[in-house]
């Protein structure tokens, strides 16, 4: 079909699933636009970080890999989450009068920290061997087409190390642990206000 501009218009077939996804994203956008404080829940994120560390610990038991940097960074993140949760609790306690509402810069600061924390979990270099995946905490598994992994870079390195069982491959696992710990510490600093 020709338009007045001489271009052919294309009709894109729309399935029920596409409509549902568009509806969900529309509702998310409405919710985010109406909230004074962004509705991020980093307490559940901290739990996922801990569960992922427990899983890695089981998989590298008896191998020359130290998870202490990962555990330290998760503790640091938990402290930042507690700080933000107390700030949010203070805001919700004083519904009618709040020093937060009288100071929009504090609200903006909190929203900036909440938003930037998620970005702090990414690295420009991306996952080893898959640089297009930037998120260091959640991503698709290299060895499972249908699954996502917590700490996908570490999962990839562990799978490789178990196949080859060389000292270099286990050093690669340790390197991935350090990369993950670094982004978690970075996210903790952002969330607590240390990097804004």
């Amino acid at each position: 079909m020709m338009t007045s501009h001489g271009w052919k218009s294309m009709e894109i077939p729309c399935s029920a699933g596409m409509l549902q996804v568009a509806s969900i994203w529309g509702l998310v956008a409405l919710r985010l636009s109406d909230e004074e404080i962004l509705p991020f829940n980093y307490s559940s994120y901290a739990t996922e970080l801990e569960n992922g560390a427990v899983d890695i610990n089981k998989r590298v038991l008896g191998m020359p890999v130290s998870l202490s940097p990962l555990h330290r960074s998760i503790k640091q993140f938990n402290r930042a989450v507690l700080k933000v949760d107390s700030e949010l609790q203070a805001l919700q306690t004083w519904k009618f009068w709040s020093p937060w509402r009288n100071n929009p810069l504090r609200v903006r600061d909190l929203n900036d920290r909440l938003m930037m924390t998620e970005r702090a979990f990414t690295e420009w270099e991306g996952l080893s061997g898959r640089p297009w995946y930037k998120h260091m905490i959640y991503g698709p598994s290299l060895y499972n087409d249908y699954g996502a992994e917590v700490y996908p870079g570490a999962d990839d390195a562990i799978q490789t190390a178990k196949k080859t069982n060389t000292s270099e491959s286990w050093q690669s696992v340790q390197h991935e642990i350090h990369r993950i710990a670094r982004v978690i510490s970075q996210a903790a600093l952002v969330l607590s206000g240390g990097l804004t």
Side-chain angles (χ1 to χ4, degrees):
M1 169 184 194
M2 295 295 265
T3 64
S4 62
H5 301 293
W7 299 330
K8 285 188 174 183
S9 69
M10 294 178 43
E11 290 187 24
I12 299 172
C14 193
S15 69
M18 292 171 74
L19 289 174
Q20 289 173 341
V21 169
S23 296
I24 289 171
W25 280 113
L27 290 173
V28 168
L30 284 173
R31 170 123 191 256
L32 289 175
S33 68
D34 285 342
E35 295 290 331
E36 184 177 15
I37 301 294
L38 295 174
F40 288 120
N41 182 354
Y42 284 110
S43 297
S44 61
Y45 216 117
T47 302
E48 284 296 313
L49 295 175
E50 291 170 350
N51 291 341
V54 167
D55 181 54
I56 287 178
N57 190 47
K58 289 177 187 174
R59 296 172 65 197
V60 299
L61 203 58
M63 298 301 163
V65 175
S66 170
L67 296 184
S68 60
L70 181 59
H71 292 298
R72 277 193 306 270
S73 66
I74 293 172
K75 284 180 185 175
Q76 183 183 5
F77 188 75
N78 275 324
R79 285 190 299 270
V81 167
L82 290 175
K83 178 184 176 196
V84 166
D85 284 349
S86 69
E87 291 177 43
L88 290 169
Q89 184 66 35
L91 178 63
Q92 293 169 350
T93 302
W94 301 98
K95 295 209 184 233
F96 299 107
W97 179 86
S98 169
W100 287 80
R101 293 183 196 267
N102 293 334
N103 189 345
L105 292 177
R106 286 185 71 186
V107 173
R108 173 66 189 261
D109 174 62
L110 179 58
N111 279 332
D112 286 349
R113 287 186 286 144
L114 291 170
M115 182 176 50
M116 295 302 292
T117 298
E118 185 63 35
R119 290 183 189 168
F121 287 120
T122 63
E123 272 199 356
W124 184 81
E125 300 89 19
L127 297 179
S128 298
R130 300 184 293 157
W132 50 90
Y133 292 116
K134 306 293 185 191
H135 207 280
M136 300 300 292
I137 308 303
Y138 294 112
S141 171
L142 183 63
Y143 295 95
N144 178 357
D145 291 336
Y146 300 105
E149 290 292 329
V150 178
Y151 309 135
D155 177 65
D156 296 349
I158 290 168
Q159 297 270 7
T160 301
K162 285 188 173 187
K163 286 180 184 174
T164 61
N165 202 23
T166 64
S167 63
E168 293 84 18
S169 63
W170 289 107
Q171 287 173 357
S172 180
V173 172
Q174 188 66 61
H175 175 72
E176 290 299 324
I177 298 298
H178 284 290
R179 290 180 72 201
I180 295 164
R182 186 174 59 242
V183 298
I184 294 172
S185 292
Q186 180 176 296
L189 283 171
V190 170
L191 191 59
S192 64
L195 288 180
T196 54

